[in-house]
Amino acid sequence: MQIFRIKRPALIAAVLAIAAVGLAFPGPVAAAPAQDQALRTVVIDPGHGGLESGAKGKFGNLEKDITLAVSLKLKALIEKDMGFEVVLTRDRDVDVSIENRSAIANNRKAGLFISIHANGSVQRKAGGSETFFLSLNATDEETRRLAYLENNSSALQSRIDPSSDSDLMMILWDMAQNAYIKQSSRLAELVQAELDAMLGTRNRGIKQAPFKILTGVACPAILVEAAFISNPDEEQKLASDAFQTKVAEAIFRGLALFLKRGE
Amino acid sequence: MATNKKGGISKPALILGGLTLVLLVLVIIFFTGGGGEKVKRFVDSNVPKTAETAGAKALTKTVTLFFIADDDLLHKETREITAGPTEADEAERALTELIRGSEEGLISPLPPGTKVRQVFIARDGLATVDFSRDIADSFSYGSTSELAAVYSVVNTLVFNFKPVKKVVLLVEGAERETLGGHVDLSRAFFPDYSLVAR
Ligand SMILES: [Zn+2]
């Protein structure tokens, strides 16, 4: 609390400075999308892991195993065909907290973040694929702050001091993803179109949800839900190497289109 | 004239006294009347619209619960619960019914065996619901089932209880990151009726 009080003027100063920069040079700041500045690293996040196995299928397949398999395939595809470094938030069956996953992305200066999951519903007939990006359950106060900062994402990012106190960090990282909502939505749309074209599963479209993994990531970020492990037919597909490859390829294609149109 | 004058002197005092008395009465009526109105409103909100009855029965309230149907959306189902004394008590009962399950063949999005430990409704419209650990440990959630679990609770509370505007979920009295690795529980939720069938 004490630390927070000391840092508060610094936060206000930073916000004012960002606003001043935005007002003084509206052109250049607005014209430079953060993602084009240096997309060098893509972070892939295989959902769940370790003791936390995610959704379970009737035949005993676990979400955590499928997400890892798809993620490894996607990593290989990107490394083979694109010049990017690919970082996985886990490459084995281990527990990684959600906070650590977004910390990995932010520390490695991720330019794009893709979290991979297989879906689960209590309704066994539920099926299909969908792609999410973040919706913040913003309070009025937060909405005001976010609106204020929305068009200053790159300035915001460069002003986050990794050594600063954790309360302040949390506030800023909390808002970080909001600056990338438009890009995240476009990436989600392109990936979802490819999933629909390649998987033969029902198209559940793109959606927004308040997913923890997406809140703290400071770059365009999506969460892919490829088919339902709770649906016996789709579970068997998800367990097959061929289907896992298709999921990875679909995401890879959507990503390629996103990068192509971004330039 | 003199008497008149004398009367005139005492008249203002009389008027003043009368005015004070009237004012006093008005003040008393104002306060007791206000109190009476408060009580009446409180009772009104607890009287179900359908209740036509009938001496012996306790007052009931009709609540709308949100269950999952074949189309994977939340569907409304009404249920009678015991009314009062507070809205927090009624909220607790409504959530217990939500966990107990549908009477029309729908599926509850919450794990059976989950207990509602406490519901607290603050003046600012924030309802805090504390569930037993079963809500997190008894299901292996996917994104869809986790969203359904969270929003069946949030929607049920905001839909039925006027003072509730947003909802925070606790597990065993403590804040928790997520129920099953997806939905962020650190923020208060506003209702999301896009998950509800039309
Ligand atoms: Zn998952």
Side-chain angles (χ1 to χ4, degrees):
Chain A
M1 227 24 190
Q2 273 176 341
I3 301 164
F4 184 77
R5 238 178 266 143
I6 293 160
K7 297 269 179 173
R8 190 120 200 191
L11 173 66
I12 293 163
V15 168
L16 286 175
I18 292 164
V21 169
L23 288 172
F25 309 103
V29 170
Q35 139 235 4
D36 291 344
Q37 282 167 1
L39 175 57
R40 268 178 261 120
T41 307
V42 175
V43 171
I44 302 172
D45 172 47
H48 313 281
L51 289 173
E52 214 245 292
S53 44
K56 285 176 190 147
K58 185 181 154 191
F59 302 111
N61 293 287
L62 302 176
E63 184 184 354
K64 65 171 183 179
D65 297 326
I66 289 155
T67 61
L68 182 58
V70 172
S71 297
L72 289 169
K73 287 174 189 292
L74 178 57
K75 179 182 197 281
L77 282 172
I78 296 173
E79 281 175 344
K80 186 167 155 261
D81 283 9
M82 297 172 172
F84 307 126
E85 178 195 19
V86 179
V87 175
L88 294 173
T89 56
R90 66 176 179 99
D91 58 4
R92 289 162 294 137
D93 184 17
V94 286
D95 280 284
V96 183
S97 76
I98 293 180
E99 271 175 22
N100 282 342
R101 288 169 198 250
S102 33
I104 289 168
N106 294 333
N107 290 338
R108 299 297 290 266
K109 301 203 162 43
L112 288 174
F113 182 89
I114 301 170
S115 187
I116 294 174
H117 290 248
N119 216 335
S121 168
V122 291
Q123 170 53 252
R124 297 232 157 207
K125 287 178 207 157
S129 301
E130 56 196 348
T131 306
F132 287 92
F133 61 106
L134 185 69
S135 75
L136 282 174
N137 255 307
T139 64
D140 292 344
E141 192 200 344
E142 279 167 336
T143 312
R144 258 188 287 117
R145 282 190 295 160
L146 291 170
Y148 197 59
L149 290 168
E150 190 154 36
N151 298 313
N152 297 289
S153 61
S154 50
L156 171 66
Q157 198 175 6
S158 66
R159 276 174 196 278
I160 295 174
D161 171 9
S163 66
S164 68
D165 119 78
S166 65
D167 278 345
L168 177 60
M169 282 291 286
M170 225 182 68
I171 293 168
L172 291 176
W173 285 130
D174 249 21
M175 298 188 295
Q177 180 54 209
N178 217 76
Y180 300 98
I181 287 291
K182 267 185 211 151
Q183 286 165 293
S184 300
S185 138
R186 201 168 62 88
L187 178 59
E189 213 168 295
L190 294 166
V191 166
Q192 180 58 28
E194 296 302 315
L195 289 171
D196 183 38
M198 292 189 66
L199 299 188
T201 52
R202 188 162 81 80
N203 185 2
R204 295 170 64 98
I206 62 167
K207 291 179 183 171
Q208 282 183 278
F211 287 143
K212 181 81 181 176
I213 187 65
L214 299 176
T215 56
V217 179
C219 67
I222 58 170
L223 187 145
V224 175
E225 288 287 354
F228 278 68
I229 199 167
S230 54
N231 175 314
D233 290 342
E234 294 195 352
E235 179 191 4
Q236 283 178 306
K237 284 184 187 169
L238 279 165
S240 78
D241 188 75
F243 190 83
Q244 291 169 3
T245 302
K246 273 193 204 168
V247 175
E249 274 173 4
I251 297 169
F252 175 77
R253 286 192 194 193
L255 179 63
L257 284 170
F258 177 80
L259 295 171
K260 204 167 150 192
R261 294 192 203 169
E263 276 157 19
Chain B
M1 278 284 162
T3 48
N4 235 355
K5 240 185 189 174
K6 253 184 199 169
I9 289 161
S10 63
K11 213 173 188 178
L14 200 70
I15 291 167
L16 208 71
L19 275 175
T20 310
L21 196 74
V22 167
L23 208 71
L24 203 71
V25 169
L26 277 175
V27 164
I28 288 164
I29 288 171
F30 180 81
F31 276 109
T32 54
E37 200 174 85
K38 249 180 222 162
V39 170
K40 195 164 151 246
R41 232 185 285 143
F42 179 75
V43 172
D44 271 355
S45 72
N46 287 307
V47 176
K49 287 155 205 157
T50 51
E52 302 136 27
T53 50
K57 263 196 168 181
L59 282 180
T60 60
K61 178 187 169 95
T62 306
V63 289
T64 301
L65 309 174
F66 293 83
F67 293 110
I68 296 171
D70 271 358
D71 59 5
D72 203 28
L73 290 168
L74 293 170
H75 286 247
K76 292 173 187 168
E77 185 177 312
T78 55
R79 185 77 49 94
E80 297 287 313
I81 59 164
T82 307
T86 68
E87 289 193 287
D89 294 322
E90 293 175 350
E92 207 174 307
R93 275 175 220 129
L95 293 178
T96 302
E97 288 301 309
L98 184 66
I99 295 162
R100 200 163 69 80
S102 165
E103 291 169 353
E104 296 166 17
L106 306 176
I107 305 170
S108 173
L110 299 173
T114 301
K115 280 162 202 73
V116 186
R117 286 163 43 103
Q118 207 192 347
V119 177
F120 178 77
I121 303 173
R123 273 163 189 265
D124 64 356
L126 177 69
T128 305
V129 188
D130 184 15
F131 287 104
S132 67
R133 68 185 80 252
D134 311 77
I135 193 175
D137 297 348
S138 307
F139 264 3
S140 325
Y141 288 103
S143 289
T144 295
S145 52
E146 202 169 314
L147 284 166
V150 169
Y151 282 105
S152 69
V153 171
V154 175
N155 289 359
T156 294
L157 292 185
V158 177
F159 190 87
N160 293 295
F161 302 100
K162 270 229 175 89
V164 179
K165 304 284 178 250
K166 49 187 175 172
V167 180
V168 161
L169 275 68
L170 302 180
V171 179
E172 297 288 333
E175 253 184 57
R176 204 184 147 104
E177 202 170 52
T178 65
L179 291 181
H182 304 102
V183 182
D184 183 4
L185 295 186
S186 69
R187 290 162 188 274
F189 294 94
F190 291 104
D192 185 346
Y193 298 116
S194 73
L195 302 166
V196 179
R198 279 165 201 279

